[in-house]
Amino acid sequence: MNTGLLCYCRAGFEPELAGELTDRAAEAGLGAYARTERGSGHVLLLGEDAGAMSRVLPFASLIFARQKLRLLAELPGLDPKDRITPLMEALAGAGRHGELVVETPDTDEAKPLAGLARAFGNALRPALRQRGFLSAQDDARLPRLHVCLLAGDHLLVAQGEANDSSPWPMGVPRLRMLHDAPSRSALKLDEAILTLLDAKERESLLREGMWAADLGAAPGGWSWILARRRIRVYAIDNGPLADTAMATGLIEHHRADGFSWQPPRMLDWMVCDMVEQPRRVAARMAEWFANGWCRRAIFNLKLPMKKRWQETRLCLDLFEQQAGRPLTIRARQLYHDREEITVYAG
Ligand code: SAM
């Protein structure tokens, strides 16, 4: 069976992504199985009805997937002198595409293939245009064509829909580390805001004059990201905050325990990056909502244990049950997340 979904993930998290995809497909009554290798940075979910699999697994709902594509073909054992002819044959009936992305999974083994991916893309683009498989100019209304190089002689061919996939090659957003950011962690909150909120939400939910709490704030990267948006922050941590964070003039540092500190009034935001057991964090986050201490939150759940997909499910269920009111919950393992996921609730 060669029809199904191709999803990318952080290398090492293939079992989590495979578990997420197969559990959810099974719960929707679909026959599907995952094919993957540990460390390969991708998972194939194969089954008879790729359309149904795609519908029950929208990209925005996936936690461990950085990218979600419809698999068109797998081309192993290619002749390196002519990869284009078999690719064209595989595309018969696939229609027209608005963009070509030639990429690799995000793994150390695939890094040497980056040059080949670029060169192959440059050779392939005009050939696709000539055959009518690619529009003359990039066109975001048409599906994107993805060619994923697993090796010099092994390709996966897939399609991404603009409203059901990541817009970035390899599913990796390009974010620049700003030079006076107090920590690399700042990139996590930056990425969370970019990927877990849409453009309208970013504008309406993060406004000057709002109030936030940052639990586990030191050295201050997340507080600094909020302060850059002119949001005032109670930064809770026994550790010191960087001068660049304090220099914003919008951050109030409280040396306190993030599990017992309470805000003086309802806040617009609570963010939390405390390194603690995920169940304990999830329960405390739920308390904040149940007590009406914040309108929205972005928090990280650290997952150093083995059964990380099961733990994720358990923590999110616990959070949802204990939060005491209906919430929109979105979760994702971000590119800048290591053994952890980031959750938005509001
Ligand atoms: N988000 C921060 C940034 O961008 O700079 C980095 C946070 S760091 C990963 C985790 C922080 O959580 C540490 O500074 C640690 O002191 C703090 N922490 C852990 N347990 C805590 C607790 N119970 N109360 C307050 N802070 C806690």
Side-chain angles (χ1 to χ4, degrees), residues 20-253:
E20 179 181 14
L21 296 172
T22 49
D23 282 3
R24 291 194 45 203
E27 281 155 18
L30 296 176
Y33 69 96
R35 209 189 82 195
T36 189
E37 247 173 69
R38 198 181 249 286
S40 67
H42 71 284
V43 175
L44 294 175
L45 185 70
L46 302 172
E48 260 155 28
D49 192 345
M53 290 195 288
S54 187
R55 279 191 297 280
V56 303
L57 296 165
F59 175 60
S61 74
L62 296 175
I63 299 173
F64 288 99
R66 282 182 191 169
Q67 180 59 290
K68 172 201 149 180
L69 306 168
R70 282 277 291 272
L71 182 68
L72 298 177
E74 176 168 13
L75 304 176
L78 290 172
D79 176 356
K81 286 200 237 40
D82 179 20
R83 302 177 184 92
I84 292 187
T85 307
L87 206 155
M88 293 293 174
E89 282 163 11
L91 283 176
R96 204 173 173 80
H97 300 85
E99 194 189 338
L100 169 69
V101 178
V102 182
E103 60 197 352
T104 68
D106 181 22
T107 64
D108 287 342
E109 295 71 54
K111 278 201 176 81
L113 294 171
L116 173 62
R118 241 186 329 274
F120 185 52
N122 291 339
L124 184 58
R125 213 164 268 111
L128 289 168
R129 289 206 168 110
Q130 199 182 21
R131 296 281 295 269
F133 290 127
L134 186 64
S135 56
Q137 309 288 331
D138 281 359
D139 185 342
R141 291 165 303 181
L142 294 174
R144 241 181 286 112
L145 179 64
H146 289 253
V147 175
C148 176
L149 269 71
L150 298 182
D153 63 352
H154 191 175
L155 308 182
L156 298 173
V157 188
Q159 243 176 18
E161 297 291 338
N163 60 1
D164 193 25
S165 64
S166 163
W168 298 290
M170 298 161 83
V172 176
R174 300 273 163 238
L175 289 177
R176 231 166 13 101
M177 173 85 173
L178 294 161
H179 76 278
D180 52 350
S183 64
R184 266 197 75 75
S185 291
L187 283 168
K188 276 191 271 184
L189 186 59
D190 222 8
E191 186 184 351
I193 289 170
L194 187 65
T195 49
L196 298 178
L197 302 180
D198 65 28
K200 244 170 78 184
E201 289 170 331
R202 279 195 290 281
E203 195 167 312
S204 63
L205 302 181
L206 293 158
R207 286 205 320 270
E208 176 163 8
M210 286 183 162
W211 283 86
D214 180 1
L215 310 181
W222 287 27
S223 294
W224 181 82
I225 289 285
L226 295 171
R228 278 173 59 84
R229 292 178 176 263
R230 313 300 303 160
I231 293 172
R232 298 186 162 272
V233 188
Y234 297 107
I236 313 304
D237 203 305
N238 278 314
L241 292 195
D243 292 344
T244 50
M246 297 314 291
T248 61
L250 293 169
I251 298 172
E252 215 176 278
H253 185 193

Side-chain angles (χ1 to χ4, degrees), residues 282 285-286 289 299 315-323 327 329 345:
M285 301 296 100
F289 282 95
F299 57 90
C315 288
L316 291 177
D317 287 350
L318 178 155
F319 170 70
E320 194 171 10
Q321 283 157 18
Q322 296 185 3
L327 289 170
I329 300 172

